[in-house]
Amino acid sequence: MKKARYLIDNMYTADPAVHVFNDKLYIYPSHDIESGIPENDNGDHFDMRDYHVFSMEDINGSVTDHGVALDIDDVHWAGRQMWDTDVAEKNGKYYMYFPVKDKNDIFRIGVALSDKPEGPFIPEKYPMVGSYSIDPCIFDNGNGDHYMYFGGLWGGQLQRYRNNKAQECGKEPADHEPCLCPKVARLSDDMLAFAEDPKNVLIVDDNGEPLKAGDHDRRFFEASWMHTYNGKYYFSYSTGNTHLLCYAMGDSPYGPFTYAGVILTPVVGWTTHHSIVEFRGKWYLFYHDCVPSGGKTWLRSIKVVELEYKNDGTIKTLEGSVN
Ligand code: FUB
């Protein structure tokens, strides 16, 4: 598959987290809707209210919509804005992690459970203790350990936190200072809590120096994803206001990660968000753009394209505007 393919045409979808469960591809996207709220840097126009789950038996085959898997009305602590979700499996149970603003307009991360990968998912009564910000990505390390990566700037509120605590400043650091880091925490055995305080995911340049806050072409903004290839850990993310999907490589789920390049140049639309998955011996990039909606940034459509590695393990850059 050398040309990207749109996957869903009966609704707008974004932020596709994709996993292989039971030899099928399961897609967990955000469900974009027309909210009528004007665009702003706080992301208020992304006013989503539920999640649908989709599956595919074959990468070129049809896509099944399994219907609503979780609705905001079923999360009693939720206020507004169900953003990017992810799902993990452990011992035959499926855990959906979802960021939503609470009634005080603060993003928290909730967990919902199901016996099936397609849901429906039943939410726990309260958000995860110590959770904040957005874009949870769950990485299964293959040894029983699962890690959550999370965080997102501006509308995702990460700039409001230092050392896992909300603080007054609420801004990105000055341009010459180290940038804010995405976070990682191992999950508890029951998958419902952090087993440890979230730690910084450090991204460094070739000299081992942390990326600077002013380095907008490389610094983390949102959309964490983790995968492994040939024994290396690949942390990938969006640079937000420069609209790039980038990645950094390391030797452990905690990093540090060395910046390694661009996976996808800007797509049509403001946000860019993805997942990277191996399926039947090939690698795929799932992502979104706003071409089908005529460029409306809050009405996105998910796509898939094959991803290729070079011999040295680096990823071949894809062009967002032509794929
Ligand atoms: O879909 C809402 C937000 O837009 C996501 O949480 C971000 O990653 C961006 O794609």
Side-chain angles (χ1 to χ4, degrees), residues 14-15 30-32 43 46-48 81-85 99 107 134-136 151-152 156 221-224 238 270-274 288 297 300:
D15 313 327
S30 301
H31 177 193
D32 283 358
F46 296 106
D47 196 24
M48 298 86 103
Q81 296 185 293
M82 284 188 134
W83 284 12
D84 161 62
T85 184
F107 268 115
I134 60 164
D135 289 359
F221 189 93
E222 62 186 2
S224 297
S238 160
W270 200 96
T271 67
T272 185
H273 192 134
H274 68 301
H288 67 230
T297 57
R300 301 163 290 181

CSV table of all heavy atoms in Angstrom, one decimal, residues 14-15 30-32 43 46-48 81-85 99 107 134-136 151-152 156 221-224 238 270-274 288 297 300, ligand 1:
chain,number,residue,atom,x,y,z
A,14,ALA,N,-10.6,11.0,14.1
A,14,ALA,CA,-9.3,11.6,14.2
A,14,ALA,C,-8.5,10.8,15.3
A,14,ALA,O,-9.0,9.9,15.9
A,14,ALA,CB,-9.4,13.0,14.7
A,15,ASP,N,-7.2,11.1,15.4
A,15,ASP,CA,-6.3,10.5,16.5
A,15,ASP,C,-6.4,9.0,16.5
A,15,ASP,O,-6.6,8.4,17.6
A,15,ASP,CB,-6.8,11.1,17.8
A,15,ASP,CG,-7.0,12.6,17.9
A,15,ASP,OD1,-6.3,13.3,17.1
A,15,ASP,OD2,-7.9,13.1,18.6
A,30,SER,N,-10.8,9.4,17.9
A,30,SER,CA,-11.7,10.4,18.4
A,30,SER,C,-12.9,10.5,17.4
A,30,SER,O,-12.7,10.2,16.2
A,30,SER,CB,-11.0,11.7,18.5
A,30,SER,OG,-9.9,11.7,19.4
A,31,HIS,N,-14.0,10.9,17.9
A,31,HIS,CA,-15.2,11.1,17.0
A,31,HIS,C,-15.5,12.6,16.9
A,31,HIS,O,-16.2,13.1,17.8
A,31,HIS,CB,-16.4,10.3,17.6
A,31,HIS,CG,-17.6,10.4,16.8
A,31,HIS,ND1,-18.9,10.0,17.2
A,31,HIS,CD2,-17.9,11.0,15.5
A,31,HIS,CE1,-19.8,10.3,16.3
A,31,HIS,NE2,-19.2,10.9,15.3
A,32,ASP,N,-15.0,13.2,15.8
A,32,ASP,CA,-15.2,14.6,15.6
A,32,ASP,C,-16.7,14.9,15.2
A,32,ASP,O,-17.3,14.2,14.4
A,32,ASP,CB,-14.3,15.1,14.5
A,32,ASP,CG,-12.9,15.2,14.9
A,32,ASP,OD1,-12.6,15.0,16.1
A,32,ASP,OD2,-12.0,15.6,14.1
A,43,GLY,N,-8.5,24.9,21.9
A,43,GLY,CA,-9.1,23.7,21.3
A,43,GLY,C,-10.6,23.5,21.7
A,43,GLY,O,-11.1,22.4,21.6
A,46,PHE,N,-13.0,21.4,19.5
A,46,PHE,CA,-12.9,19.9,19.5
A,46,PHE,C,-13.8,19.5,20.7
A,46,PHE,O,-13.3,19.2,21.8
A,46,PHE,CB,-11.5,19.4,19.7
A,46,PHE,CG,-10.6,19.8,18.6
A,46,PHE,CD1,-9.6,20.8,18.7
A,46,PHE,CD2,-10.7,19.2,17.3
A,46,PHE,CE1,-8.8,21.1,17.7
A,46,PHE,CE2,-9.9,19.5,16.3
A,46,PHE,CZ,-8.9,20.5,16.5
A,47,ASP,N,-15.1,19.4,20.4
A,47,ASP,CA,-16.1,19.2,21.5
A,47,ASP,C,-16.7,17.9,21.4
A,47,ASP,O,-18.0,17.7,21.4
A,47,ASP,CB,-17.2,20.4,21.5
A,47,ASP,CG,-17.9,20.4,22.8
A,47,ASP,OD1,-17.4,20.0,23.8
A,47,ASP,OD2,-19.1,20.9,22.7
A,48,MET,N,-15.9,16.8,21.4
A,48,MET,CA,-16.4,15.5,21.1
A,48,MET,C,-17.1,14.8,22.3
A,48,MET,O,-16.8,15.1,23.5
A,48,MET,CB,-15.3,14.6,20.7
A,48,MET,CG,-14.6,15.0,19.4
A,48,MET,SD,-13.3,16.3,19.7
A,48,MET,CE,-11.9,15.3,19.5
A,81,GLN,N,-15.6,17.5,26.2
A,81,GLN,CA,-14.4,17.3,25.3
A,81,GLN,C,-13.7,15.9,25.6
A,81,GLN,O,-12.7,15.8,26.3
A,81,GLN,CB,-13.4,18.4,25.4
A,81,GLN,CG,-14.0,19.7,24.9
A,81,GLN,CD,-13.0,20.8,24.9
A,81,GLN,OE1,-12.5,21.3,26.0
A,81,GLN,NE2,-12.6,21.3,23.7
A,82,MET,N,-14.3,14.9,24.9
A,82,MET,CA,-13.6,13.6,24.9
A,82,MET,C,-12.6,13.5,23.8
A,82,MET,O,-12.9,13.5,22.7
A,82,MET,CB,-14.6,12.5,24.7
A,82,MET,CG,-15.5,12.2,25.9
A,82,MET,SD,-16.6,10.7,25.7
A,82,MET,CE,-16.3,9.9,27.2
A,83,TRP,N,-11.3,13.6,24.2
A,83,TRP,CA,-10.3,13.6,23.2
A,83,TRP,C,-9.6,12.3,23.0
A,83,TRP,O,-10.2,11.3,23.5
A,83,TRP,CB,-9.2,14.7,23.6
A,83,TRP,CG,-9.8,16.1,23.3
A,83,TRP,CD1,-11.1,16.5,23.0
A,83,TRP,CD2,-9.0,17.4,23.4
A,83,TRP,NE1,-11.1,17.9,22.8
A,83,TRP,CE2,-9.9,18.4,23.0
A,83,TRP,CE3,-7.7,17.7,23.6
A,83,TRP,CZ2,-9.5,19.8,23.0
A,83,TRP,CZ3,-7.3,19.0,23.6
A,83,TRP,CH2,-8.2,20.0,23.2
A,84,ASP,N,-8.4,12.3,22.4
A,84,ASP,CA,-7.8,11.0,21.9
A,84,ASP,C,-7.8,9.9,23.0
A,84,ASP,O,-7.3,10.1,24.1
A,84,ASP,CB,-6.3,11.4,21.6
A,84,ASP,CG,-5.5,10.2,21.5
A,84,ASP,OD1,-5.7,9.3,20.7
A,84,ASP,OD2,-4.5,10.1,22.3
A,85,THR,N,-8.2,8.8,22.6
A,85,THR,CA,-8.3,7.6,23.5
A,85,THR,C,-7.3,6.5,23.1
A,85,THR,O,-6.7,6.6,22.0
A,85,THR,CB,-9.7,7.0,23.5
A,85,THR,OG1,-9.8,5.9,24.5
A,85,THR,CG2,-10.1,6.4,22.1
A,99,PRO,N,-9.2,10.9,27.9
A,99,PRO,CA,-9.1,12.2,28.6
A,99,PRO,C,-10.4,12.9,28.3
A,99,PRO,O,-10.9,13.0,27.2
A,99,PRO,CB,-7.9,12.8,27.8
A,99,PRO,CG,-8.0,12.3,26.5
A,99,PRO,CD,-8.6,10.9,26.5
A,107,PHE,N,-8.6,18.8,32.4
A,107,PHE,CA,-8.5,17.4,31.8
A,107,PHE,C,-8.0,16.4,32.8
A,107,PHE,O,-7.0,16.7,33.5
A,107,PHE,CB,-7.5,17.4,30.6
A,107,PHE,CG,-8.2,17.7,29.3
A,107,PHE,CD1,-7.9,18.8,28.6
A,107,PHE,CD2,-9.1,16.8,28.8
A,107,PHE,CE1,-8.5,19.0,27.3
A,107,PHE,CE2,-9.7,17.0,27.5
A,107,PHE,CZ,-9.4,18.1,26.8
A,134,ILE,N,-3.7,15.2,28.5
A,134,ILE,CA,-4.5,14.5,27.4
A,134,ILE,C,-3.6,13.4,26.8
A,134,ILE,O,-2.5,13.2,27.1
A,134,ILE,CB,-4.9,15.5,26.3
A,134,ILE,CG1,-3.7,16.2,25.7
A,134,ILE,CG2,-5.9,16.5,26.9
A,134,ILE,CD1,-4.0,16.8,24.3
A,135,ASP,N,-4.2,12.8,25.8
A,135,ASP,CA,-3.5,11.9,24.8
A,135,ASP,C,-2.8,10.7,25.5
A,135,ASP,O,-1.6,10.5,25.2
A,135,ASP,CB,-2.6,12.7,23.9
A,135,ASP,CG,-3.3,13.6,22.9
A,135,ASP,OD1,-4.5,13.6,22.9
A,135,ASP,OD2,-2.6,14.3,22.2
A,136,PRO,N,-3.6,9.9,26.2
A,136,PRO,CA,-3.0,8.7,26.8
A,136,PRO,C,-2.6,7.7,25.7
A,136,PRO,O,-3.5,7.5,24.8
A,136,PRO,CB,-4.0,8.1,27.7
A,136,PRO,CG,-5.3,8.7,27.2
A,136,PRO,CD,-5.0,10.0,26.6
A,151,GLY,N,0.2,13.6,27.7
A,151,GLY,CA,0.5,15.0,27.8
A,151,GLY,C,0.2,15.7,26.5
A,151,GLY,O,0.3,15.1,25.4
A,152,GLY,N,-0.1,17.0,26.6
A,152,GLY,CA,-0.4,17.8,25.4
A,152,GLY,C,-0.4,19.3,25.8
A,152,GLY,O,-1.0,19.6,26.9
A,156,GLY,N,-4.4,21.1,25.7
A,156,GLY,CA,-4.2,19.9,26.5
A,156,GLY,C,-3.7,20.1,27.9
A,156,GLY,O,-3.5,19.2,28.7
A,221,PHE,N,4.7,18.4,21.5
A,221,PHE,CA,3.5,19.2,21.7
A,221,PHE,C,2.4,18.3,22.2
A,221,PHE,O,1.8,18.5,23.3
A,221,PHE,CB,3.1,19.9,20.4
A,221,PHE,CG,1.9,20.9,20.6
A,221,PHE,CD1,2.2,22.2,20.9
A,221,PHE,CD2,0.6,20.5,20.6
A,221,PHE,CE1,1.2,23.2,21.1
A,221,PHE,CE2,-0.4,21.4,20.8
A,221,PHE,CZ,-0.1,22.7,21.0
A,222,GLU,N,2.1,17.1,21.5
A,222,GLU,CA,1.0,16.2,21.9
A,222,GLU,C,1.1,14.9,21.1
A,222,GLU,O,2.1,14.8,20.3
A,222,GLU,CB,-0.4,16.9,21.7
A,222,GLU,CG,-0.7,17.2,20.2
A,222,GLU,CD,-2.0,18.0,20.0
A,222,GLU,OE1,-2.7,18.3,21.0
A,222,GLU,OE2,-2.3,18.3,18.9
A,223,ALA,N,0.1,14.0,21.2
A,223,ALA,CA,0.0,12.8,20.4
A,223,ALA,C,1.2,11.8,20.6
A,223,ALA,O,1.8,11.3,19.6
A,223,ALA,CB,0.0,13.2,18.9
A,224,SER,N,1.4,11.4,21.8
A,224,SER,CA,2.4,10.4,22.1
A,224,SER,C,2.0,9.0,21.5
A,224,SER,O,0.9,8.6,21.5
A,224,SER,CB,2.5,10.2,23.6
A,224,SER,OG,2.9,11.3,24.3
A,238,SER,N,3.6,14.7,18.0
A,238,SER,CA,3.3,15.9,17.1
A,238,SER,C,4.0,17.1,17.7
A,238,SER,O,4.1,17.3,18.9
A,238,SER,CB,1.8,16.1,17.0
A,238,SER,OG,1.5,17.5,16.6
A,270,TRP,N,-4.9,21.6,11.3
A,270,TRP,CA,-4.0,22.1,12.3
A,270,TRP,C,-3.3,20.9,13.0
A,270,TRP,O,-2.1,20.9,13.1
A,270,TRP,CB,-4.7,23.0,13.3
A,270,TRP,CG,-3.7,23.9,14.0
A,270,TRP,CD1,-3.4,25.2,13.7
A,270,TRP,CD2,-2.9,23.5,15.2
A,270,TRP,NE1,-2.5,25.7,14.7
A,270,TRP,CE2,-2.2,24.7,15.6
A,270,TRP,CE3,-2.8,22.4,16.0
A,270,TRP,CZ2,-1.3,24.7,16.7
A,270,TRP,CZ3,-1.9,22.4,17.1
A,270,TRP,CH2,-1.2,23.6,17.4
A,271,THR,N,-4.1,20.0,13.5
A,271,THR,CA,-3.5,18.9,14.3
A,271,THR,C,-3.0,17.8,13.4
A,271,THR,O,-3.4,17.6,12.2
A,271,THR,CB,-4.6,18.2,15.2
A,271,THR,OG1,-5.6,17.6,14.4
A,271,THR,CG2,-5.3,19.3,16.1
A,272,THR,N,-2.0,17.0,13.9
A,272,THR,CA,-1.6,15.8,13.3
A,272,THR,C,-1.4,14.8,14.4
A,272,THR,O,-0.9,15.1,15.5
A,272,THR,CB,-0.3,16.1,12.4
A,272,THR,OG1,0.0,14.9,11.7
A,272,THR,CG2,0.9,16.5,13.2
A,273,HIS,N,-1.8,13.6,14.2
A,273,HIS,CA,-1.9,12.6,15.3
A,273,HIS,C,-2.0,11.2,14.6
A,273,HIS,O,-2.7,11.0,13.7
A,273,HIS,CB,-3.1,12.9,16.2
A,273,HIS,CG,-3.1,12.2,17.5
A,273,HIS,ND1,-3.4,12.8,18.7
A,273,HIS,CD2,-2.9,10.9,17.8
A,273,HIS,CE1,-3.3,12.0,19.6
A,273,HIS,NE2,-3.0,10.8,19.1
A,274,HIS,N,-1.4,10.2,15.2
A,274,HIS,CA,-1.1,9.0,14.5
A,274,HIS,C,-1.0,7.8,15.5
A,274,HIS,O,-1.0,7.9,16.7
A,274,HIS,CB,0.3,9.2,13.8
A,274,HIS,CG,1.3,9.2,14.9
A,274,HIS,ND1,1.4,10.2,15.9
A,274,HIS,CD2,2.4,8.4,15.2
A,274,HIS,CE1,2.4,10.0,16.7
A,274,HIS,NE2,3.0,8.9,16.3
A,288,HIS,N,-4.5,11.3,10.4
A,288,HIS,CA,-5.7,11.9,9.9
A,288,HIS,C,-5.4,13.2,9.2
A,288,HIS,O,-4.3,13.7,9.3
A,288,HIS,CB,-6.7,12.3,11.1
A,288,HIS,CG,-6.2,13.3,12.1
A,288,HIS,ND1,-6.2,13.1,13.4
A,288,HIS,CD2,-5.7,14.5,11.9
A,288,HIS,CE1,-5.7,14.2,14.0
A,288,HIS,NE2,-5.4,15.1,13.1
A,297,THR,N,-10.6,22.2,10.6
A,297,THR,CA,-9.6,21.6,11.5
A,297,THR,C,-10.2,20.7,12.5
A,297,THR,O,-9.6,19.8,13.0
A,297,THR,CB,-8.7,22.6,12.2
A,297,THR,OG1,-9.6,23.4,13.0
A,297,THR,CG2,-7.9,23.4,11.3
A,300,ARG,N,-12.1,15.9,11.1
A,300,ARG,CA,-10.9,15.2,10.5
A,300,ARG,C,-11.3,13.8,10.0
A,300,ARG,O,-12.4,13.3,10.4
A,300,ARG,CB,-9.8,15.1,11.6
A,300,ARG,CG,-9.4,16.5,12.0
A,300,ARG,CD,-8.6,16.5,13.3
A,300,ARG,NE,-9.5,16.2,14.5
A,300,ARG,CZ,-9.0,16.2,15.7
A,300,ARG,NH1,-7.8,16.5,16.0
A,300,ARG,NH2,-9.9,15.9,16.7
B,1,FUB,O1,-8.7,15.4,19.0
B,1,FUB,C1,-8.5,16.4,20.0
B,1,FUB,C2,-7.0,16.7,20.1
B,1,FUB,O2,-6.5,17.1,18.9
B,1,FUB,C3,-6.1,15.5,20.4
B,1,FUB,O3,-6.2,15.0,21.8
B,1,FUB,C4,-4.8,16.0,20.0
B,1,FUB,O4,-3.8,15.1,20.0
B,1,FUB,C5,-5.2,16.6,18.7
B,1,FUB,O5,-5.2,15.7,17.7
